[in-house]
Amino acid sequence: MSERALRGTRLGATSYETDRGIDLAPRQTVEYACQNGHRFEVPFSVEAEIPMVWECRFCGQEAALLDGEEPEEKKTKPTRTHWDMLMERRTREELEEVLAERLAVLRSGGMNLAVHPRDSRKSA
């Protein structure tokens, strides 16, 4: 075995360094509370920007900063529906014209609906 090997220890299992003589960065402790009543503290650097919300350590829900302002609601775009996108491309008059054309094709028998698999279930 190599003469440099450490006997009786596992690599990476234990650190032999100590915190003696090391000046840690100045810290502040901030308290958060969630809707379930859990209260906990999180240490931050004095220079850090403190977030208004933090994940609760106990239940995982969003916890608010105690003695802090309410977080600002982010502005979101309203959800665009299929109808909204359709109305961006066509006018109501164009849609009525397309509908009339398709109904005329259906009524004239231009489309063979008997071959379609969904219609075979209706007749059975």
Side-chain angles (χ1 to χ4, degrees):
M1 195 173 206
S2 174
E3 294 184 22
R4 291 187 218 166
L6 293 173
R7 294 185 182 166
T9 63
R10 291 178 281 157
L11 293 177
T14 307
S15 173
Y16 295 106
E17 295 181 13
T18 63
D19 291 339
R20 271 185 279 144
I22 296 175
D23 292 330
L24 298 175
R27 303 204 178 265
Q28 61 180 329
T29 303
V30 180
E31 192 171 10
Y32 288 91
C34 76
Q35 292 178 348
N36 292 337
H38 300 128
R39 294 172 75 113
F40 58 95
E41 294 180 342
V42 179
F44 286 99
S45 169
V46 172
E47 300 168 357
E49 184 178 324
I50 307 300
M52 291 294 167
V53 292
W54 196 264
E55 184 178 321
C56 178
R57 292 182 177 170
F58 306 103
C59 63
Q61 290 191 1
E62 207 170 72
L65 176 65
L66 287 180
D67 302 327
E69 300 173 6
E70 288 291 319
E72 296 177 12
E73 290 290 326
K74 294 181 181 177
K75 293 182 181 179
T76 58
K77 292 182 179 179
T79 305
R80 286 176 45 195
T81 63
H82 177 73
W83 180 254
D84 293 333
M85 291 183 269
L86 182 64
M87 293 308 291
E88 289 175 6
R89 296 189 309 268
R90 307 252 185 178
T91 64
R92 193 176 272 291
E93 292 78 24
E94 289 174 329
L95 292 172
E96 288 176 1
E97 185 179 318
V98 170
L99 177 63
E101 289 173 8
R102 299 312 300 163
L103 286 174
V105 169
L106 284 172
R107 290 181 181 137
S108 69
M111 291 180 64
N112 188 1
L113 295 177
V115 179
H116 199 276
R118 277 192 259 161
D119 290 335
S120 63
R121 287 183 282 180
K122 290 179 184 176
S123 61

